[in-house]
mmCIF file of all heavy atoms in Angstrom:
data_model
loop_
_atom_site.group_PDB
_atom_site.id
_atom_site.type_symbol
_atom_site.label_atom_id
_atom_site.label_comp_id
_atom_site.label_asym_id
_atom_site.label_seq_id
_atom_site.Cartn_x
_atom_site.Cartn_y
_atom_site.Cartn_z
ATOM 1 N N MET A 181 6.353 1.942 8.271
ATOM 2 C CA MET A 181 7.337 1.626 9.312
ATOM 3 C C MET A 181 7.391 2.654 10.446
ATOM 4 O O MET A 181 8.331 2.673 11.232
ATOM 5 C CB MET A 181 8.724 1.433 8.718
ATOM 6 C CG MET A 181 8.804 0.323 7.678
ATOM 7 S SD MET A 181 8.281 -1.298 8.310
ATOM 8 C CE MET A 181 9.662 -1.677 9.387
ATOM 9 N N ALA A 182 6.373 3.503 10.544
ATOM 10 C CA ALA A 182 6.310 4.394 11.705
ATOM 11 C C ALA A 182 6.209 3.546 12.965
ATOM 12 O O ALA A 182 5.472 2.561 12.999
ATOM 13 C CB ALA A 182 5.103 5.317 11.600
ATOM 14 N N PRO A 183 6.946 3.879 14.018
ATOM 15 C CA PRO A 183 6.866 3.084 15.239
ATOM 16 C C PRO A 183 5.468 3.145 15.845
ATOM 17 O O PRO A 183 4.806 4.187 15.776
ATOM 18 C CB PRO A 183 7.908 3.731 16.165
ATOM 19 C CG PRO A 183 8.138 5.085 15.603
ATOM 20 C CD PRO A 183 7.893 4.999 14.137
ATOM 21 N N PRO A 184 4.992 2.043 16.405
ATOM 22 C CA PRO A 184 3.630 2.032 16.954
ATOM 23 C C PRO A 184 3.361 3.160 17.936
ATOM 24 O O PRO A 184 2.256 3.721 17.949
ATOM 25 C CB PRO A 184 3.550 0.661 17.631
ATOM 26 C CG PRO A 184 4.507 -0.193 16.873
ATOM 27 C CD PRO A 184 5.642 0.717 16.508
ATOM 28 N N GLU A 185 4.361 3.513 18.739
ATOM 29 C CA GLU A 185 4.133 4.558 19.738
ATOM 30 C C GLU A 185 3.898 5.929 19.103
ATOM 31 O O GLU A 185 3.383 6.847 19.754
ATOM 32 C CB GLU A 185 5.307 4.629 20.715
ATOM 33 C CG GLU A 185 6.657 4.943 20.110
ATOM 34 C CD GLU A 185 7.429 3.696 19.667
ATOM 35 O OE1 GLU A 185 6.807 2.625 19.515
ATOM 36 O OE2 GLU A 185 8.656 3.814 19.487
ATOM 37 N N ALA A 186 4.266 6.090 17.825
ATOM 38 C CA ALA A 186 4.041 7.365 17.151
ATOM 39 C C ALA A 186 2.656 7.450 16.522
ATOM 40 O O ALA A 186 2.197 8.553 16.175
ATOM 41 C CB ALA A 186 5.104 7.580 16.070
ATOM 42 N N LEU A 187 1.981 6.341 16.360
ATOM 43 C CA LEU A 187 0.698 6.340 15.642
ATOM 44 C C LEU A 187 -0.349 7.249 16.272
ATOM 45 O O LEU A 187 -1.055 7.957 15.535
ATOM 46 C CB LEU A 187 0.167 4.915 15.521
ATOM 47 C CG LEU A 187 0.968 3.981 14.601
ATOM 48 C CD1 LEU A 187 0.353 2.590 14.595
ATOM 49 C CD2 LEU A 187 1.023 4.535 13.181
ATOM 50 N N PRO A 188 -0.514 7.269 17.605
ATOM 51 C CA PRO A 188 -1.533 8.179 18.157
ATOM 52 C C PRO A 188 -1.270 9.638 17.806
ATOM 53 O O PRO A 188 -2.200 10.386 17.483
ATOM 54 C CB PRO A 188 -1.440 7.934 19.669
ATOM 55 C CG PRO A 188 -0.887 6.548 19.797
ATOM 56 C CD PRO A 188 0.080 6.426 18.661
ATOM 57 N N ARG A 189 -0.013 10.056 17.851
ATOM 58 C CA ARG A 189 0.314 11.445 17.527
ATOM 59 C C ARG A 189 0.126 11.723 16.042
ATOM 60 O O ARG A 189 -0.378 12.781 15.646
ATOM 61 C CB ARG A 189 1.750 11.762 17.952
ATOM 62 C CG ARG A 189 1.981 11.663 19.456
ATOM 63 C CD ARG A 189 3.366 12.138 19.848
ATOM 64 N NE ARG A 189 4.440 11.325 19.275
ATOM 65 C CZ ARG A 189 4.917 10.212 19.824
ATOM 66 N NH1 ARG A 189 4.418 9.772 20.970
ATOM 67 N NH2 ARG A 189 5.917 9.552 19.253
ATOM 68 N N LEU A 190 0.513 10.771 15.200
ATOM 69 C CA LEU A 190 0.327 10.961 13.760
ATOM 70 C C LEU A 190 -1.156 11.025 13.407
ATOM 71 O O LEU A 190 -1.578 11.870 12.618
ATOM 72 C CB LEU A 190 1.005 9.821 13.001
ATOM 73 C CG LEU A 190 2.531 9.761 13.090
ATOM 74 C CD1 LEU A 190 3.051 8.500 12.396
ATOM 75 C CD2 LEU A 190 3.170 10.999 12.472
ATOM 76 N N ALA A 191 -1.937 10.136 14.001
ATOM 77 C CA ALA A 191 -3.374 10.121 13.722
ATOM 78 C C ALA A 191 -4.038 11.419 14.161
ATOM 79 O O ALA A 191 -4.961 11.916 13.492
ATOM 80 C CB ALA A 191 -4.021 8.927 14.409
ATOM 81 N N ALA A 192 -3.578 11.970 15.264
ATOM 82 C CA ALA A 192 -4.162 13.214 15.760
ATOM 83 C C ALA A 192 -3.776 14.404 14.893
ATOM 84 O O ALA A 192 -4.541 15.364 14.763
ATOM 85 C CB ALA A 192 -3.709 13.458 17.204
ATOM 86 N N ALA A 193 -2.610 14.333 14.259
ATOM 87 C CA ALA A 193 -2.105 15.475 13.506
ATOM 88 C C ALA A 193 -2.526 15.472 12.046
ATOM 89 O O ALA A 193 -2.589 16.529 11.413
ATOM 90 C CB ALA A 193 -0.575 15.514 13.584
ATOM 91 N N VAL A 194 -2.831 14.299 11.510
ATOM 92 C CA VAL A 194 -3.107 14.183 10.067
ATOM 93 C C VAL A 194 -4.611 14.172 9.831
ATOM 94 O O VAL A 194 -5.328 13.343 10.403
ATOM 95 C CB VAL A 194 -2.468 12.907 9.503
ATOM 96 C CG1 VAL A 194 -2.820 12.760 8.023
ATOM 97 C CG2 VAL A 194 -0.960 12.941 9.687
ATOM 98 N N PRO A 195 -5.123 15.054 8.976
ATOM 99 C CA PRO A 195 -6.566 15.132 8.733
ATOM 100 C C PRO A 195 -7.053 14.115 7.705
ATOM 101 O O PRO A 195 -7.506 14.463 6.619
ATOM 102 C CB PRO A 195 -6.735 16.557 8.218
ATOM 103 C CG PRO A 195 -5.467 16.833 7.489
ATOM 104 C CD PRO A 195 -4.391 16.120 8.259
ATOM 105 N N GLY A 196 -6.975 12.860 8.046
ATOM 106 C CA GLY A 196 -7.434 11.823 7.134
ATOM 107 C C GLY A 196 -7.056 10.451 7.650
ATOM 108 O O GLY A 196 -6.358 10.316 8.660
ATOM 109 N N PRO A 197 -7.509 9.386 6.991
ATOM 110 C CA PRO A 197 -7.191 8.029 7.416
ATOM 111 C C PRO A 197 -5.689 7.766 7.389
ATOM 112 O O PRO A 197 -4.953 8.317 6.571
ATOM 113 C CB PRO A 197 -7.923 7.154 6.388
ATOM 114 C CG PRO A 197 -8.983 8.023 5.817
ATOM 115 C CD PRO A 197 -8.419 9.404 5.830
ATOM 116 N N LEU A 198 -5.267 6.895 8.298
ATOM 117 C CA LEU A 198 -3.861 6.544 8.448
ATOM 118 C C LEU A 198 -3.694 5.052 8.189
ATOM 119 O O LEU A 198 -4.428 4.232 8.734
ATOM 120 C CB LEU A 198 -3.395 6.889 9.865
ATOM 121 C CG LEU A 198 -1.898 6.960 10.137
ATOM 122 C CD1 LEU A 198 -1.294 8.199 9.479
ATOM 123 C CD2 LEU A 198 -1.648 6.999 11.647
ATOM 124 N N ASN A 199 -2.731 4.715 7.341
ATOM 125 C CA ASN A 199 -2.406 3.320 7.023
ATOM 126 C C ASN A 199 -1.189 2.911 7.844
ATOM 127 O O ASN A 199 -0.193 3.616 7.886
ATOM 128 C CB ASN A 199 -2.102 3.219 5.519
ATOM 129 C CG ASN A 199 -1.932 1.804 5.003
ATOM 130 O OD1 ASN A 199 -2.129 1.571 3.820
ATOM 131 N ND2 ASN A 199 -1.562 0.838 5.826
ATOM 132 N N ALA A 200 -1.269 1.765 8.504
ATOM 133 C CA ALA A 200 -0.115 1.206 9.212
ATOM 134 C C ALA A 200 0.170 -0.179 8.672
ATOM 135 O O ALA A 200 -0.737 -0.881 8.205
ATOM 136 C CB ALA A 200 -0.375 1.143 10.718
ATOM 137 N N VAL A 201 1.431 -0.580 8.741
ATOM 138 C CA VAL A 201 1.817 -1.911 8.287
ATOM 139 C C VAL A 201 1.922 -2.833 9.500
ATOM 140 O O VAL A 201 2.480 -2.469 10.529
ATOM 141 C CB VAL A 201 3.146 -1.879 7.509
ATOM 142 C CG1 VAL A 201 4.301 -1.360 8.344
ATOM 143 C CG2 VAL A 201 3.465 -3.245 6.926
ATOM 144 N N ALA A 202 1.344 -4.014 9.378
ATOM 145 C CA ALA A 202 1.431 -5.016 10.440
ATOM 146 C C ALA A 202 2.637 -5.903 10.164
ATOM 147 O O ALA A 202 2.783 -6.448 9.067
ATOM 148 C CB ALA A 202 0.149 -5.845 10.491
ATOM 149 N N LEU A 203 3.492 -6.038 11.155
ATOM 150 C CA LEU A 203 4.712 -6.832 11.025
ATOM 151 C C LEU A 203 4.642 -8.049 11.937
ATOM 152 O O LEU A 203 3.962 -8.015 12.979
ATOM 153 C CB LEU A 203 5.926 -5.976 11.394
ATOM 154 C CG LEU A 203 6.138 -4.718 10.542
ATOM 155 C CD1 LEU A 203 7.262 -3.876 11.127
ATOM 156 C CD2 LEU A 203 6.430 -5.090 9.092
ATOM 157 N N PRO A 204 5.351 -9.118 11.601
ATOM 158 C CA PRO A 204 5.283 -10.343 12.411
ATOM 159 C C PRO A 204 5.657 -10.121 13.878
ATOM 160 O O PRO A 204 5.091 -10.755 14.760
ATOM 161 C CB PRO A 204 6.284 -11.277 11.723
ATOM 162 C CG PRO A 204 6.346 -10.790 10.312
ATOM 163 C CD PRO A 204 6.178 -9.310 10.388
ATOM 164 N N ASP A 205 6.596 -9.209 14.138
ATOM 165 C CA ASP A 205 7.029 -8.974 15.511
ATOM 166 C C ASP A 205 6.431 -7.710 16.114
ATOM 167 O O ASP A 205 6.881 -7.220 17.149
ATOM 168 C CB ASP A 205 8.557 -8.898 15.577
ATOM 169 C CG ASP A 205 9.133 -7.808 14.673
ATOM 170 O OD1 ASP A 205 8.365 -7.226 13.869
ATOM 171 O OD2 ASP A 205 10.341 -7.527 14.764
ATOM 172 N N GLY A 206 5.396 -7.178 15.463
ATOM 173 C CA GLY A 206 4.782 -5.954 15.955
ATOM 174 C C GLY A 206 3.389 -6.183 16.499
ATOM 175 O O GLY A 206 2.917 -7.318 16.587
ATOM 176 N N PRO A 207 2.696 -5.115 16.867
ATOM 177 C CA PRO A 207 1.330 -5.233 17.385
ATOM 178 C C PRO A 207 0.401 -5.840 16.337
ATOM 179 O O PRO A 207 0.580 -5.621 15.137
ATOM 180 C CB PRO A 207 0.934 -3.785 17.696
ATOM 181 C CG PRO A 207 2.219 -3.039 17.809
ATOM 182 C CD PRO A 207 3.161 -3.710 16.865
ATOM 183 N N PRO A 208 -0.604 -6.584 16.769
ATOM 184 C CA PRO A 208 -1.577 -7.139 15.813
ATOM 185 C C PRO A 208 -2.454 -6.025 15.238
ATOM 186 O O PRO A 208 -2.493 -4.908 15.768
ATOM 187 C CB PRO A 208 -2.390 -8.107 16.668
ATOM 188 C CG PRO A 208 -2.256 -7.591 18.065
ATOM 189 C CD PRO A 208 -0.892 -6.985 18.153
ATOM 190 N N PRO A 209 -3.168 -6.318 14.161
ATOM 191 C CA PRO A 209 -3.976 -5.287 13.501
ATOM 192 C C PRO A 209 -4.930 -4.550 14.432
ATOM 193 O O PRO A 209 -5.041 -3.315 14.354
ATOM 194 C CB PRO A 209 -4.728 -6.073 12.428
ATOM 195 C CG PRO A 209 -3.783 -7.172 12.059
ATOM 196 C CD PRO A 209 -3.154 -7.565 13.362
ATOM 197 N N ARG A 210 -5.627 -5.273 15.305
ATOM 198 C CA ARG A 210 -6.589 -4.591 16.170
ATOM 199 C C ARG A 210 -5.900 -3.563 17.058
ATOM 200 O O ARG A 210 -6.401 -2.452 17.257
ATOM 201 C CB ARG A 210 -7.344 -5.606 17.022
ATOM 202 C CG ARG A 210 -8.316 -4.938 18.010
ATOM 203 C CD ARG A 210 -9.212 -5.937 18.688
ATOM 204 N NE ARG A 210 -10.152 -6.529 17.742
ATOM 205 C CZ ARG A 210 -11.148 -7.322 18.084
ATOM 206 N NH1 ARG A 210 -11.343 -7.648 19.341
ATOM 207 N NH2 ARG A 210 -11.964 -7.812 17.175
ATOM 208 N N ARG A 211 -4.721 -3.919 17.574
ATOM 209 C CA ARG A 211 -3.985 -2.992 18.427
ATOM 210 C C ARG A 211 -3.524 -1.781 17.628
ATOM 211 O O ARG A 211 -3.568 -0.645 18.123
ATOM 212 C CB ARG A 211 -2.792 -3.699 19.067
ATOM 213 C CG ARG A 211 -1.940 -2.794 19.956
ATOM 214 C CD ARG A 211 -2.757 -2.161 21.069
ATOM 215 N NE ARG A 211 -1.983 -1.247 21.894
ATOM 216 C CZ ARG A 211 -2.485 -0.213 22.559
ATOM 217 N NH1 ARG A 211 -3.802 0.030 22.517
ATOM 218 N NH2 ARG A 211 -1.721 0.557 23.278
ATOM 219 N N LEU A 212 -3.092 -1.990 16.391
ATOM 220 C CA LEU A 212 -2.706 -0.864 15.547
ATOM 221 C C LEU A 212 -3.889 0.073 15.328
ATOM 222 O O LEU A 212 -3.725 1.298 15.288
ATOM 223 C CB LEU A 212 -2.172 -1.366 14.214
ATOM 224 C CG LEU A 212 -0.829 -2.103 14.259
ATOM 225 C CD1 LEU A 212 -0.518 -2.721 12.908
ATOM 226 C CD2 LEU A 212 0.295 -1.181 14.700
ATOM 227 N N GLY A 213 -5.087 -0.508 15.203
ATOM 228 C CA GLY A 213 -6.278 0.318 15.089
ATOM 229 C C GLY A 213 -6.524 1.137 16.340
ATOM 230 O O GLY A 213 -6.858 2.326 16.268
ATOM 231 N N GLU A 214 -6.347 0.522 17.481
ATOM 232 C CA GLU A 214 -6.529 1.238 18.747
ATOM 233 C C GLU A 214 -5.516 2.371 18.892
ATOM 234 O O GLU A 214 -5.800 3.383 19.545
ATOM 235 C CB GLU A 214 -6.402 0.258 19.908
ATOM 236 C CG GLU A 214 -7.548 -0.745 19.978
ATOM 237 C CD GLU A 214 -7.311 -1.856 20.987
ATOM 238 O OE1 GLU A 214 -6.147 -2.043 21.416
ATOM 239 O OE2 GLU A 214 -8.282 -2.537 21.344
#
Side-chain angles (χ1 to χ4, degrees):
M181 301 302 288
E185 60 271 18
L187 292 179
R189 297 187 297 274
L190 294 175
V194 177
L198 196 71
N199 188 156
V201 60
L203 300 173
D205 58 351
R210 177 171 292 188
R211 179 57 183 153
L212 291 172
E214 292 171 344

